[in-house]
Amino acid sequence: MASSIISQYHSLKDNHNLHHLDPYYVHNNTQILRSHSSSTSISVGVLDKKPHFSDTLFAPRNLSPCFHFLDELCEIRDLNSVRELHAQILKMPRNKGGSSSLATIDETVMRYYLEFDDFVSAIKVFFVGFTRNYLLWNSFLEKFGSFGGDPYEILDVFGELHKKGVEFDSIAFTVVLKICLVLMDLKVGLEIHACLIKRGFHFDVHLYCALINLYEKCWGVDRAYQVFDEAPQKEDFLWNTIIMASLRSEKWFDGLELFRGMQLSSAKATGGTIVKVLQACGKLRALNEGKQIHGYVLRRGLVSNMSISNSIISMYSKNHSLKMARTFFDSMEDYNLSSWNSIISCYAGYGNLEDALDIFQEMEASGIKPDIITWNSLMSGLLLQGSYKAVLANFQSLQVEGLKPDSGSVTSALQAIIELGIFNVYVCTSLMDMYIKNDELHKAQKVFHRTKNKNICAWNSLISGYSFKGQFSDAEELLNQMEKEGIEPDIVTWNSLISGYSMHGRSEEAMDVINRMKSSGFSPNVVSWTAMVSGSSRNKSHMDSIRFFGQMQAQNVRPNSTTICSLLRACSGQSLLKKGEEIHCLCIRHGFIEDMYIATALIDMYSKAGKLKVACEIFGRIEGKTLPCWNCMMMGYAIHGHGEEVISLFNKMLKTGIIPDSITFTALLSGCKNSGRINDGWKYFDSMSTDYNIVPTIEHYSCMVDLLGKSGFLDEALHFIQTMPVKPDASIWGALLASCRNHKNIMLAETALRNLFKLEPYNSANYVIMMNIYSALGKWDDAQRLRDTMVAAGLKSPGVWSWIQVNQTTHVFSTEGKSHGEEGEIYFELYQLVSKVKKLGYVPDISCVYQNIDNNEKEKVLLSHTEKLAITYGLMKTKGGSPIRVVKNTRVCQDCHTLAKYISSAENREILLRDGGRFHHFVNGKCSCNGCW
């Protein structure tokens, strides 16, 4: 049973084998002894026979003599006295009756262990007590939480007892699965399910239901359907559980189909299930099905259930059957407030205000006081009719009645005010600003057009909103209209346009606005130039950011902290160390160095520019580090492949009391990925949801695919992709494709490529990687076929470049465009260098050449790789043993990686190479990546 579900989970992690929760079968000559110990009240030892609750020595043989011990509990003052009393109880003989008295002892002992913070002992009593029913379990869980207990401790103790051979019944397993549901711990739930299957354990209906709820919440409703389908007997409770699971997941049609199957099996629906199914009929506009369920309710005599009756009214209302809703309402023998609200909402929602008001008066006459839902329904109906003054009158009435307006009533009142145009320009501007910030530009427009005597603030607010959304024609038109009405734009108007254009990557238009601004007599201020710098940085136009900053300085405009942070981001993006160091000096001169945001940006800049040690020094000097600061330093370690340091820093952060976020786990998983730490990767990926309630994003899934793939676990990576709860995107399949290139797996590479063609058919990089895989395996015809396909699609191979900065000048080496001015000298030096390192053992790796040519030609092609040229140029132009820093836009090839190691040793030079995903730090013939790239 459920083997198909378990099989889907098997490859999700390297520790996925479920043996550690298999029951420990003790031989016939053993038995569990639970006795008092100094550390806990229950310890597990071995005696004569197979353990079972009914056979344990835990239960006293005669209850009556032990009651005087319970009387002594009022004198207990510390944990030792509780343990001593517990030990005495364990020694008492057992009475064959009196389960209620045994339960009393259980509850009392557990409560006192909780009061003295011995949670483990309390849990053990909980699991091996005398009376096991859901009321006792629920009571304990409530008390456990009230005393500050950690639910994970319950799972830990359960696992410990389970390994030692304690046999649990169905109730215990059901409760543990419910705890897994509360904690969203799918892993433990799956382990329990697996070991029960291995044991051939009898699954009762409660156990099935617990599994359905766990899988639906943690793994998707489709897995819950599998559990339901594999249940041999489908009782009422099971039907109700699967229907509720389906409807909770908004599988409305599936829920109705299941309800139909439930009726055919003669199972009975609960009131809650009927309510949810009626809601589904409303969602799907399934009037016929709704009528049938109405008939089912009548046949079972459930019309007295107010929740069901109110849901029937709502169902008819949503199916545009007002007459049937009213007929049913009139047939009801009793009403509650929800009943009145349902029928009032029904009429008001369709603009039948007279009927809604009649029912409202009827309700008041019957002594039922309206609540905020009632008033909101009436106000919505009044809005539909255009009775705006009546809306405001109702808004006042509900406050007179002592009710507090909610978002629904406030929205209705504001809408009425807007339509009536009765508020002043200052309220108008504030309201527009609120709508713009909440991404409701259309409402801001409505407020603006109904406002009289608009001032410059109102015009600026809407121009800013248009610019922020990228609606520049609307913004420019509004600017022209403003000028026609005699209102001259001010610096805020111009800066709004500059910010919008720059943010959307339209820096030329932004500069045009700056020129228009100057023509109008305004000088661009720090906000104007910061918008230019920030927008370019955001759009990865890093060199433009630095150029705009130069213009800003030329006009003697002093930068602020936002300007500096944007500049440092630009330096990070391009690994511009020298410029970053200049900005660092500027921060010191202007007193920005204490700013937490700037300090964090400096850490990021130095990490990405290859000066990790300086980044660490800055980090160490910061007091009161924020979460972004910790995250930035962890990511710095991660891109340099220092996985152990990332984990160490994470643990230090936790000790300070800072709670990690999703970015923290991106850094952790990147650190594991770049250092080949598979076990740690799984550990932190699992802990996101189980320990920190963080839902993994596509970025986290991509890290895991990359980690598995690069480590050679390609089948596991594919299975992981196929069982992800989110739809794989191009980053996921791209990670798998890159791993297939590393390990030359054609079959999986073709699978990845097929998916990439669907997601990004015009990304030529995917074609190139696949052609490289074919070429590496000598499949030249397949490589040519793919090249022809690429050409037919009008695609070109992506440009490959490397660059190095020498004396503040950036030297670019590219496969396209203009060649370097000193190319001849560079090649001469490179030939000399290769000859030198060949004597040390370097052998060119011609498998890195994906062209069908002879081996001598392949060696010549290897020499043209851009990173080799950049490194050689660095050796030529830098002296004194200074590090050589090269940036490459794609992944470094195996041959260049090997050659760089030999060069670092032969020339006694430190080489830092930042490729498409990480840093390689070559020193004395070794690389910091340790082969994990």
Side-chain angles (χ1 to χ4, degrees):
M1 196 277 303
S3 58
S4 57
I5 288 181
I6 299 304
S7 65
Q8 292 174 57
Y9 188 70
H10 270 347
S11 295
L12 290 184
K13 42 188 66 59
D14 59 328
N15 61 345
H16 63 273
N17 294 326
L18 305 173
H19 64 274
H20 59 281
L21 262 181
D22 284 347
Y24 175 74
Y25 289 100
V26 190
H27 294 294
N28 290 332
N29 60 347
T30 62
Q31 175 181 346
I32 298 298
L33 170 65
R34 300 170 183 82
S35 61
H36 171 73
S37 72
S38 59
S39 59
T40 60
S41 63
I42 306 169
S43 63
V44 182
V46 179
L47 278 186
D48 298 332
K49 60 179 182 178
K50 184 178 179 180
H52 196 278
F53 282 124
S54 60
D55 301 328
T56 60
L57 299 181
F58 180 85
R61 293 186 179 84
N62 188 349
L63 274 177
S64 54
C66 77
F67 281 130
H68 68 280
F69 288 111
L70 294 178
D71 294 336
E72 293 174 11
L73 286 175
C74 60
E75 301 174 3
I76 286 177
R77 293 291 180 268
D78 57 27
L79 182 58
N80 284 334
S81 56
V82 178
R83 290 172 175 167
E84 289 171 9
L85 182 61
H86 192 186
Q88 293 297 320
I89 292 173
L90 295 179
K91 295 176 183 177
M92 298 305 300
R94 170 167 48 180
N95 185 7
K96 292 183 180 179
S99 61
S100 61
S101 298
L102 293 165
T104 300
I105 294 174
D106 269 353
E107 290 188 274
T108 305
V109 172
M110 285 189 293
R111 188 181 72 249
Y112 273 87
Y113 275 129
L114 291 175
E115 287 182 3
F116 289 104
D117 295 331
D118 189 349
F119 296 111
V120 172
S121 294
I123 296 166
K124 287 185 177 180
V125 178
F126 170 60
F127 275 123
V128 295
F130 312 109
T131 305
R132 292 173 301 286
N133 59 61
Y134 287 113
L135 291 176
L136 181 62
W137 296 90
N138 292 335
S139 171
F140 171 77
L141 292 176
E142 187 177 334
K143 287 177 185 173
F144 186 80
S146 68
F147 280 98
D150 183 353
Y152 282 103
E153 282 190 273
I154 299 177
L155 297 184
D156 290 341
V157 174
F158 167 79
E160 176 193 334
L161 295 173
H162 197 267
K163 287 177 188 177
K164 291 179 177 177
V166 175
E167 290 187 4
F168 296 102
D169 59 12
S170 182
I171 295 177
F173 282 114
T174 299
V175 172
V176 172
L177 287 172
K178 287 182 177 181
I179 295 171
C180 291
L181 174 60
V182 171
L183 299 174
M184 298 293 284
D185 195 328
L186 176 63
K187 179 173 174 286
V188 173
L190 280 162
E191 289 172 343
I192 291 170
H193 193 179
C195 78
L196 293 178
I197 293 169
K198 289 180 181 179
R199 279 177 52 183
F201 192 87
H202 171 69
F203 284 67
D204 67 12
V205 66
H206 296 286
L207 199 49
Y208 274 116
C209 291
L211 284 167
I212 285 173
N213 288 328
L214 177 68
Y215 287 157
E216 181 256 319
K217 286 288 185 184
C218 299
W219 207 4
V221 73
D222 290 339
R223 303 310 195 282
Y225 289 155
Q226 287 180 257
V227 175
F228 175 77
D229 291 339
E230 290 164 359
Q233 293 183 334
K234 296 177 174 59
E235 303 176 33
D236 294 3
F237 191 27
L238 193 64
W239 277 106
N240 282 283
T241 299
I242 193 61
I243 292 171
M244 291 295 280
S246 183
L247 297 176
R248 273 196 305 269
S249 300
E250 299 186 358
K251 299 277 189 176
W252 311 115
F253 183 79
D254 289 350
L256 291 179
E257 285 296 304
L258 285 165
F259 186 78
R260 183 178 289 112
M262 180 185 192
Q263 289 179 293
L264 292 173
S265 70
S266 300
K268 292 183 178 179
T270 64
T273 301
I274 294 170
V275 167
K276 290 294 289 184
V277 172
L278 285 166
Q279 289 175 7
C281 292
K283 294 276 186 184
L284 295 173
R285 301 291 187 266
L287 179 59
N288 288 335
E289 288 80 358
K291 287 179 179 178
Q292 292 172 29
I293 295 168
H294 184 180
Y296 176 80
V297 169
L298 292 172
R299 289 195 303 276
R300 287 195 50 200
L302 297 174
V303 286
S304 59
N305 184 312
M306 300 301 291
S307 296
I308 293 175
S309 294
N310 298 338
S311 296
I312 290 173
I313 297 170
S314 178
M315 180 273 296
Y316 281 128
S317 170
K318 288 177 180 175
N319 279 284
H320 308 288
S321 299
L322 305 190
K323 185 176 179 181
M324 298 187 77
R326 182 59 187 267
T327 301
F328 179 75
F329 177 79
D330 291 338
S331 73
M332 291 170 62
E333 295 181 1
D334 197 11
Y335 307 106
N336 61 11
L337 178 59
S338 294
S339 312
W340 293 102
N341 282 342
S342 295
I343 194 66
I344 289 171
S345 175
C346 177
Y347 279 114
Y350 290 101
N352 293 18
L353 200 59
E354 289 184 11
D355 291 318
L357 289 171
D358 287 343
I359 296 172
F360 178 77
Q361 292 170 357
E362 240 185 278
M363 181 181 77
E364 289 191 309
S366 67
I368 302 290
K369 188 177 179 180
D371 64 0
I372 193 69
I373 297 173
T374 324
W375 290 106
N376 285 351
S377 297
L378 287 174
M379 290 167 70
S380 296
L382 289 165
L383 274 177
L384 284 173
Q385 275 201 344
S387 303
Y388 305 123
K389 290 184 180 178
V391 172
L392 297 180
N394 275 266
F395 187 75
Q396 285 183 311
S397 296
L398 73 88
Q399 293 179 82
V400 170
E401 293 291 327
L403 296 171
K404 184 178 180 181
D406 64 6
S407 60
S409 44
V410 170
T411 300
S412 295
L414 285 175
Q415 188 66 31
I417 289 170
I418 292 168
E419 297 294 342
L420 293 168
I422 59 175
F423 53 91
N424 64 37
V425 69
Y426 301 104
V427 176
C428 154
T429 305
S430 299
L431 198 56
M432 287 168 60
D433 188 54
M434 178 197 73
Y435 281 132
I436 288 168
K437 287 177 179 175
N438 284 279
D439 201 24
E440 294 186 290
L441 188 58
H442 63 288
K443 290 185 178 179
Q445 287 175 283
K446 207 165 189 178
V447 172
F448 177 82
H449 291 305
R450 291 186 176 275
T451 302
K452 298 174 182 177
N453 304 317
K454 304 175 187 71
N455 61 12
I456 185 68
C457 295
W459 289 94
N460 284 345
S461 185
L462 192 55
I463 288 171
S464 174
Y466 281 136
S467 299
F468 182 79
K469 294 288 287 184
Q471 296 176 211
F472 297 112
S473 59
D474 291 327
E476 295 281 4
E477 185 180 335
L478 199 63
L479 175 63
N480 294 334
Q481 186 183 340
M482 181 177 81
E483 291 178 315
K484 286 177 183 177
E485 296 194 14
I487 298 177
E488 292 296 323
D490 62 7
I491 196 163
V492 175
T493 319
W494 296 115
N495 282 343
S496 296
L497 285 168
I498 293 167
S499 296
Y501 278 122
S502 184
M503 181 192 309
H504 288 274
R506 297 168 67 168
S507 57
E508 289 185 12
E509 288 98 324
M511 276 304 298
D512 180 58
V513 175
I514 283 184
N515 293 329
R516 287 158 58 193
M517 178 183 183
K518 290 177 180 178
S519 300
S520 299
F522 291 97
S523 296
N525 62 7
V526 65
V527 176
S528 317
W529 287 111
T530 299
M532 297 296 295
V533 172
S534 175
S536 298
S537 179
R538 255 181 87 167
N539 288 286
K540 302 189 186 304
S541 299
H542 304 302
M543 300 310 294
D544 283 344
S545 282
I546 292 166
R547 178 166 56 85
F548 291 136
F549 180 65
Q551 294 180 39
M552 177 182 179
Q553 286 181 305
Q555 296 190 18
N556 296 316
V557 178
R558 179 183 169 127
N560 59 22
S561 59
T562 306
T563 322
I564 299 299
C565 285
S566 299
L567 271 172
L568 288 169
R569 277 198 297 272
C571 293
S572 298
Q574 288 289 95
S575 292
L576 298 174
L577 177 61
K578 294 298 181 184
K579 180 58 70 174
E581 288 174 333
E582 286 179 16
I583 296 166
H584 190 178
C585 293
L586 186 146
C587 291
I588 296 171
R589 288 200 305 273
H590 289 289
F592 290 135
I593 201 67
E594 300 299 324
D595 185 290
M596 181 63 72
Y597 295 102
I598 288 178
T600 303
L602 281 168
I603 292 168
D604 185 54
M605 185 276 293
Y606 278 115
S607 296
K608 291 177 179 174
K611 276 205 167 184
L612 187 60
K613 186 177 179 181
V614 178
C616 294
E617 289 171 357
I618 295 171
F619 178 79
R621 288 196 295 267
I622 297 174
E623 295 182 5
K625 299 175 182 70
T626 60
L627 177 59
C629 185
W630 287 96
N631 286 346
C632 198
M633 193 67 250
M634 279 189 269
M635 188 59 80
Y637 278 126
I639 62 174
H640 284 267
H642 300 318
E644 188 174 346
E645 286 83 352
V646 176
I647 293 169
S648 175
L649 205 61
F650 175 70
N651 292 330
K652 287 178 183 176
M653 185 189 80
L654 293 181
K655 289 178 182 176
T656 68
I658 292 178
I659 306 300
D661 63 3
S662 62
I663 298 172
T664 315
F665 283 97
T666 300
L668 273 168
L669 294 175
S670 296
C672 294
K673 174 186 73 173
N674 289 340
S675 55
R677 305 175 76 94
I678 293 182
N679 290 340
D680 286 326
W682 275 121
K683 171 187 170 184
Y684 291 115
F685 181 79
D686 288 340
S687 71
M688 287 180 66
S689 54
T690 57
D691 295 345
Y692 301 100
N693 201 29
I694 296 172
V695 179
T697 65
I698 201 73
E699 192 171 5
H700 300 115
Y701 287 107
S702 181
C703 281
M704 289 305 299
V705 172
D706 211 8
L707 172 59
L708 289 168
K710 284 179 178 175
S711 301
F713 296 100
L714 293 174
D715 290 334
E716 287 81 355
L718 179 62
H719 186 77
F720 180 79
I721 294 170
Q722 292 169 336
T723 54
M724 281 167 44
V726 295
K727 188 176 180 179
D729 70 353
S731 70
I732 299 288
W733 291 111
L736 182 64
L737 182 63
S739 297
C740 290
R741 175 176 60 182
N742 293 355
H743 300 285
K744 298 180 174 58
N745 188 317
I746 284 185
M747 187 169 63
L748 288 186
E750 288 175 338
T751 299
L753 191 65
R754 279 194 297 271
N755 285 280
L756 286 167
F757 280 168
K758 294 175 186 175
L759 293 166
E760 44 181 27
Y762 301 109
N763 186 347
S764 59
N766 298 325
Y767 288 84
V768 172
I769 293 174
M770 193 68 217
M771 284 190 289
N772 291 348
I773 296 173
Y774 283 138
S775 301
L777 295 170
K779 292 183 174 291
W780 302 109
D781 291 342
D782 290 327
Q784 186 59 49
R785 174 181 50 79
L786 198 56
R787 184 175 288 105
D788 294 341
T789 303
M790 185 175 164
V791 171
L795 302 177
K796 293 182 179 180
S797 296
V800 178
W801 50 256
S802 299
W803 62 260
I804 185 171
Q805 268 196 326
V806 178
N807 298 326
Q808 293 284 43
T809 302
T810 301
H811 296 264
V812 180
F813 300 88
S814 174
T815 56
E816 297 179 346
K818 187 178 178 182
S819 60
H820 194 275
E822 299 177 68
E823 187 176 271
E825 296 174 44
I826 296 168
Y827 271 108
F828 177 79
E829 289 294 332
L830 181 55
Y831 274 112
Q832 299 297 319
L833 197 56
V834 170
S835 298
K836 181 178 180 179
V837 295
K838 277 184 175 179
K839 295 174 183 177
L840 299 176
Y842 164 68
V843 177
D845 187 351
I846 58 175
S847 68
C848 295
V849 178
Y850 306 113
Q851 298 172 34
N852 192 10
I853 54 181
D854 65 43
N855 291 349
N856 288 332
E857 289 300 313
K858 285 185 178 181
E859 282 199 37
K860 292 178 183 178
V861 169
L862 285 175
L863 290 176
S864 66
H865 285 195
T866 60
E867 58 266 55
K868 288 190 179 79
L869 299 175
I871 291 171
T872 304
Y873 191 74
L875 288 170
M876 291 167 56
K877 298 297 181 179
T878 60
K879 305 299 179 184
S882 58
I884 294 169
R885 304 173 190 277
V886 173
V887 177
K888 187 172 192 281
N889 70 326
T890 59
R891 181 179 179 271
V892 61
C893 80
Q894 183 66 53
D895 181 69
C896 290
H897 191 271
T898 302
L899 182 62
K901 287 195 287 187
Y902 275 100
I903 292 173
S904 70
S905 176
E907 299 297 309
N908 194 25
R909 295 291 287 272
E910 182 182 352
I911 301 171
L912 288 104
L913 173 60
R914 179 180 170 183
D915 70 7
R918 57 165 302 151
F919 266 97
H920 297 271
H921 190 179
F922 302 96
V923 179
N924 296 325
K926 294 181 180 179
C927 180
S928 59
C929 73
N930 292 317
C932 300
W933 56 287

